[in-house]
Amino acid sequence: MDTGCTVGRYLVDRLRQLGLEHLFAIAGDYSIEWLNRYVTPNGIDIVEEVNEVNAGYAADAYARFKGIGALCVTYSAGALCAVGAVAGAYVEKVPLVLINGTPSVKKTITFEQTGFSAHHFITGRETDLQSFEHVTAAAIRVDHPDLAPALIDYALTKCISERRPIYIELLQDMVDLECEPPQGVLEPGRALSDETSLEQSVARIRAQLENAENPLIWLGVEIDRLGLQDKALSLIQQLNVPFVTELLSKAVLSEDDPLFVGVLDGQASSKAVIDVADASDFVLALGVWLTDINSLGWEPDYGKTAFASFDAVKWGTFFAGQVALGHLIDGILAEKIVPRGRKLPERAARVAPAVGETDVITYQGFYSYIQQYIDRNTIVGVDASMNYFGSLLLDVPDPGGFVVQSSYSAIGYSAAAATGICLAKSPGQKVLVFSGDGGFQMTAQCLSTQTRFGLDPVIFVIDNGVYAVEQWLADASVFHTDKPFYKPCELHRWNYSALADVFGCQGWEVGTYGELSDAVTSALRNTSGPSLIQVHVPDKTIPDNANWKTN
C-alpha cells in the first residue's frame, strides 16, 4: 500500500474537516509523537493544558460553540482522570472527542502473556476502553491500520450525529502505518421520524395552540444542541406567543426579544415567569429536559404541558415515539396557525440598585450590580454554586451567550471551560465567568493555560468561605438562622487574587461596590490575559431567589 496517508494523518484530516481548530492536550509518551508529527504541522493548534480535567472542560465548552471539541491524553493515568469531564459531556449532549494515546500491540501482548508491565498498565487492553464505553456514544480501539478508516469514521459520525462524546484509543505503533485516505466528508446521520407519530403529534398540538387562551412556549436545551434556534424563533414569531427557557437553555434566543419572559426554573423563577406559567392553559415544551436543577421546588403540570424531547412527544396520557424535534417544529410551522389576539405580558423595567461605594457587597447585590456590564458582546459562564440562582435572572441579550453545565453540575467546570470559550468565541466578545470559591479551588490552574495563550476571560470568584450550594441543598435554614455550617461545607480560605502573581495574570480583591466598579473597569481593559476578581461576600448572604428554601 502506497497511499501517502497514515493512521495518524487520517485522524487529523477528519478532525480538521469537521471544523476542529484547537486540540487540548496533556503531554504523554504514548501520544506525543502523534501530536508532534501530525497535529502540529496540519492546521490544528495544540493547547497544552495543565491537567486532564481542565482539558476536558475546556474542550467541552469549545465544542458547544464550534460543533466539535477534542482532547488528547495518555493511557490510564491520564485518560481515567478525564472520565468526569467526558461523563458531563455525555449527559449534556456535547460532541467531544477523547483521543487516548495507548501502548503498542507488542507491549500489550507482552503484559498479558508474561506480566511484564509497561507504565500506566492496569489490566491490559480492556481497562480504559471498558471505562469509557459507559459514558460515550462510541468507544473504539485502533489496533490495525486497515480497520482504522472505518473505525474512525464510525466513531466521529456517531459523535456529530448524537452530539455526544466518543473515545478513540490510538495505539502508538499504529500512528505511522499506512491506510486508505479519507473518502468524502463525514455528515451527521439523518433525523428519523415515524410518519404516524409525527402527524398525530402535529395535529394535537395545532388544535391546542388554536384553542388555548394563554399558550406558552418553553424552549429547552435541545433547541441549542440540535441547532434549531432559527426554526424555534420562526415558530414563536408566527404564533406571537410568549416564551420562556430553562437554566440549561438560558439565552438560546436573545433575551432582548419582546416575547421573552424569563427562565422557568421552579421557585427560583422570577414572579413574572411564575405568573405566566400559572396563567397558561397550554405549554409547548420544545427540547426541555426535566432535572432537579430545572424544577426547583416545583412540579410541572403534565396535563397542560406537551413535552417534545428525546425523540418523543409526551402529553398527559398521549405518547408518540420517534418524533424528531426538528420535524415536529417544521410540521407546526407548515400548519400556518393564525395567532389569536392575546394580551402579551409586559416586562418589568430593570432598575439599577441604589448602593453606596462603601457598601459591603452581598450575593444578591453583586448580581444586581453586575447586570450593567452584560451586553450583546458578552458571554456568561456560570459554575455549579449559588451562582446558578443569581445568574438565572440576569438579562443576556446575545443568543448563545450563556454557558452552564447544570444538568451534570460538576463543581469547577466554568473557570476551566472559559479557556475553550475564549478560543471559540467571535472577535470582540468578552467572557465573564461567575464561580464559587469551592469550585474555583478545583480548577484554579486554568489561569496558567489562559495566561500562556493570552486569553482574557474575567473570572469572578465569589468568596464566602463555604460550599454554600451544598449547604443549601442539605439544610438551607442555616442561611436564615444562627446555626453553624456543616463542617464538610467549610473551605480553607485562599487569597484568590494573589494567584494572579503565581500565574502571571492580573487580580483584584474587592469587598465594596466602589472596589468592584474599579476592578471590573480595569479587568475589561485587560486584553492580554485573564483577570481574576475575588469578591468577598458575607457567608450567609444568598441570592434572593434562593430564599424560598428554608430547610
Side-chain angles (χ1 to χ4, degrees):
M1 180 183 295
D2 185 14
T3 64
C5 183
T6 64
V7 173
R9 176 64 184 267
Y10 189 99
L11 179 55
V12 171
D13 286 349
R14 281 305 199 199
L15 290 171
R16 195 174 65 250
Q17 286 176 3
L18 292 174
L20 191 76
E21 296 175 351
H22 297 86
L23 174 74
F24 301 89
I26 307 293
D29 60 325
Y30 294 136
S31 59
I32 198 166
E33 294 295 339
W34 176 68
L35 292 169
N36 194 51
R37 291 208 302 272
Y38 291 99
V39 178
T40 301
N42 286 291
I44 296 178
D45 292 333
I46 298 176
V47 181
E48 295 86 357
E49 267 287 3
V50 291
N51 63 46
E52 290 78 10
V53 174
N54 283 24
Y57 291 157
D60 173 297
Y62 183 91
R64 293 175 189 234
F65 286 86
K66 302 289 284 187
I68 192 164
L71 66 154
C72 180
V73 298
T74 200
Y75 197 66
S76 284
L80 298 182
C81 290
V83 169
V86 174
Y90 184 84
V91 170
E92 302 240 339
K93 298 197 75 171
V94 177
L96 180 68
V97 181
L98 174 63
I99 300 145
N100 188 8
T102 304
S104 67
V105 174
K106 181 179 179 179
K107 287 180 180 177
T108 304
I109 293 174
T110 300
F111 174 65
E112 292 173 343
Q113 296 295 324
T114 71
F116 187 94
S117 181
H119 55 284
H120 303 336
F121 265 132
I122 301 175
T123 59
R125 72 187 75 193
E126 299 300 329
T127 309
D128 290 21
L129 188 69
Q130 290 180 347
S131 297
F132 282 96
E133 282 177 343
H134 302 284
V135 291
T136 58
I140 64 168
R141 178 179 171 87
V142 181
D143 56 8
H144 196 289
D146 293 348
L147 301 179
L151 287 170
I152 292 170
D153 284 1
Y154 158 75
L156 289 174
T157 301
K158 290 280 283 186
C159 180
I160 61 176
S161 299
E162 298 187 19
R163 279 80 171 178
R164 277 194 157 131
I166 61 167
Y167 169 82
I168 297 176
E169 278 191 8
L170 183 63
L171 274 65
Q172 63 180 150
D173 56 340
M174 293 294 115
V175 171
D176 293 328
L177 297 183
E178 289 190 345
C179 68
E180 292 295 329
Q183 302 296 317
V185 177
L186 298 181
E187 298 285 353
R190 290 174 294 145
L192 300 175
S193 292
D194 176 80
E195 186 174 341
T196 300
S197 293
L198 179 60
E199 290 177 353
Q200 290 176 346
S201 299
V202 170
R204 284 175 175 261
I205 291 171
R206 172 188 175 171
Q208 198 64 22
L209 285 171
E210 289 179 334
N211 295 324
E213 294 292 333
N214 295 296
L216 177 67
I217 303 293
W218 188 9
L219 297 183
V221 65
E222 287 185 6
I223 297 296
D224 172 74
R225 299 298 191 265
L226 301 177
L228 300 175
Q229 293 92 332
D230 291 343
K231 289 184 179 182
L233 181 59
S234 295
L235 180 63
I236 289 166
Q237 291 174 339
Q238 183 187 101
L239 296 172
N240 197 35
V241 167
F243 74 96
V244 294
T245 57
E246 54 180 339
L247 180 59
L248 266 170
S249 59
K250 179 176 171 62
V252 66
L253 300 181
S254 174
E255 295 187 344
D256 277 350
D257 192 296
L259 293 172
F260 176 68
V261 183
V263 177
L264 179 56
D265 198 350
Q267 294 192 49
S269 309
S270 69
K271 183 180 184 302
V273 170
I274 292 174
D275 289 346
V276 167
D278 287 345
S280 64
D281 50 355
F282 176 64
V283 180
L284 178 56
L286 299 173
V288 169
W289 296 348
L290 291 180
T291 78
D292 57 352
I293 302 296
N294 285 341
S295 56
L296 291 163
W298 171 75
E299 186 76 11
D301 187 335
Y302 297 101
K304 72 176 185 181
T305 306
F307 287 95
S309 54
F310 300 110
D311 289 323
V313 175
K314 303 151 293 253
W315 177 16
T317 60
F318 175 75
F319 176 83
Q322 199 178 15
V323 178
L325 183 59
H327 293 167
L328 179 72
I329 297 175
D330 285 339
I332 300 171
L333 281 168
E335 295 294 312
K336 301 189 183 302
I337 300 169
V338 178
R340 302 177 63 174
R342 303 181 178 105
K343 182 180 179 181
L344 300 176
E346 294 184 7
R347 298 181 65 177
R350 185 180 289 272
V351 179
V355 294
E357 287 195 353
T358 60
D359 289 352
V360 172
I361 302 169
T362 65
Y363 222 126
Q364 179 58 50
F366 169 79
Y367 273 98
S368 298
Y369 191 83
I370 207 69
Q371 176 66 63
Q372 62 188 298
Y373 298 103
I374 298 173
D375 57 25
R376 277 194 167 271
N377 293 316
T378 308
I379 299 174
V380 173
V382 182
D383 208 50
S385 59
M386 297 308 290
N387 289 288
Y388 277 177
F389 294 94
S391 65
L392 188 148
L393 300 182
L394 289 174
D395 289 333
V396 180
D398 180 42
F402 189 85
V403 180
V404 68
Q405 195 211 43
S406 62
S407 184
Y408 192 63
S409 279
I411 291 176
Y413 170 85
S414 67
T419 305
I421 298 172
C422 286
L423 289 166
K425 70 179 179 66
S426 300
Q429 288 184 304
K430 57 187 177 183
V431 178
L432 304 185
V433 170
F434 305 119
S435 174
D437 43 356
F440 185 73
Q441 288 190 9
M442 294 185 176
T443 54
Q445 306 97 313
C446 66
L447 294 174
S448 176
T449 306
Q450 292 160 7
T451 300
R452 178 179 184 178
F453 289 92
L455 308 178
D456 59 353
V458 181
I459 300 175
F460 297 87
V461 178
I462 311 301
D463 180 7
N464 56 10
V466 293
Y467 284 121
V469 71
E470 306 298 345
Q471 178 66 65
W472 184 87
L473 290 167
D475 182 4
S477 68
V478 169
F479 295 99
H480 310 286
T481 65
D482 293 331
K483 292 168 62 175
F485 291 105
Y486 287 5
K487 189 67 176 175
C489 292
E490 295 178 357
L491 293 169
H492 174 63
R493 304 304 289 266
W494 287 13
N495 185 356
Y496 298 96
S497 59
L499 291 175
D501 293 331
V502 174
F503 294 114
C505 54
Q506 295 190 34
W508 296 263
E509 183 177 7
V510 305
T512 67
Y513 292 102
E515 293 170 344
L516 178 61
S517 175
D518 291 342
V520 175
T521 300
S522 298
L524 292 176
R525 285 199 296 257
N526 173 30
T527 58
S528 61
S531 298
L532 178 65
I533 302 178
Q534 177 182 0
V535 183
H536 289 283
V537 299
D539 58 7
K540 288 197 174 182
T541 69
I542 58 177
D544 289 348
N545 58 334
N547 281 322
W548 59 270
K549 188 174 188 290
T550 58
N551 55 39

